[in-house]
Amino acid sequence: MIAKMGGSLQQAQACFRQMSTQGSATHPGRAARIEAVTVGWKRGRPNGNQTERQQEPQQPQETQQPQEPQQPQQPQPTAQGNPVTILGWVIQALTTGTLNVSRLTPQLAMFYNQQRFAISQRMQFMGAPVNIQLVNQSQNADGSALYQFFVQFQRGQMQFQLGLLPNGTITALWFN
């Protein structure tokens, strides 16, 4: 999804590089998350635009530490990718003020452009995300999926809602 939205591999991995190296019974460690993001980013590249993206700088390999056995992860219900990974990229883009508005509905793009500076300031104040937890998901009649998240940042916590159409268009973005 991030590759489809025009994001680089480094952008896709950015928020996960700041997470703990240790995993838990419910959440993988940093190295596993970064590997999953890399695989997803490579799968999301458009076939006709691979040359530029193949030149992504190689990131240093992290040593994987033994982890506790993990519970089986539930399959993700949408074709556009892991919603936690997508929200991580969206948070990074909100923080830097570089969200690709062509991937938003026109109304959402207009609102974002009006509030870009304030959103970026608030996200910068919160610091890097430490943990992103998907807490609920539902399907709307228009085919969009609505995801609700709880996000722990370095300086607090926030709730997010992210609406996605099957083609990757963001239909809703709410946080408090």
Side-chain angles (χ1 to χ4, degrees):
M1 175 67 181
I2 295 168
K4 289 180 182 179
M5 293 177 71
S8 70
L9 178 58
Q10 192 167 1
Q11 288 173 319
Q13 295 172 339
C15 73
F16 297 100
R17 291 203 172 284
Q18 298 175 21
M19 291 184 168
S20 171
T21 58
Q22 295 294 320
S24 70
T26 59
H27 293 83
R30 181 188 311 161
R33 289 177 188 241
I34 290 173
E35 178 60 27
V37 168
T38 301
V39 168
W41 183 87
K42 288 178 180 178
R43 286 182 186 161
R45 288 183 296 186
N47 290 336
N49 191 17
Q50 292 184 10
T51 55
E52 177 185 337
R53 291 188 175 152
Q54 286 176 343
Q55 296 174 2
E56 281 291 323
Q58 290 292 330
Q59 300 295 331
Q61 292 292 323
E62 297 187 33
T63 305
Q64 284 194 342
Q65 299 181 6
Q67 297 180 11
E68 298 175 26
Q70 295 183 358
Q71 297 174 350
Q73 296 199 4
Q74 294 186 354
Q76 300 303 323
T78 61
Q80 67 265 24
N82 181 327
V84 172
T85 302
I86 294 168
L87 181 62
W89 182 81
V90 168
I91 289 172
Q92 176 70 23
L94 290 173
T95 302
T96 59
T98 59
L99 188 62
N100 182 351
V101 295
S102 70
R103 302 305 296 174
L104 306 176
T105 61
Q107 298 86 354
L108 192 55
M110 183 178 68
F111 177 77
Y112 172 71
N113 282 328
Q114 291 171 349
Q115 300 295 321
R116 181 184 310 237
F117 182 72
I119 292 170
S120 178
Q121 281 189 319
R122 182 166 183 200
M123 299 306 293
Q124 288 173 17
F125 171 78
M126 295 300 290
V130 176
N131 187 20
I132 300 174
Q133 180 181 6
L134 177 63
V135 294
N136 194 16
Q137 58 192 32
S138 59
Q139 197 75 23
N140 294 324
D142 66 358
S144 66
L146 182 64
Y147 301 99
Q148 297 176 347
F149 302 88
F150 179 79
V151 181
Q152 181 67 44
F153 290 89
Q154 290 172 324
R155 294 186 197 97
Q157 52 198 11
M158 298 174 78
Q159 294 178 335
F160 279 80
Q161 288 187 357
L162 179 66
L164 293 169
L165 286 173
N167 69 1
T169 300
I170 298 173
T171 60
L173 181 59
W174 172 88
F175 59 90
N176 73 352

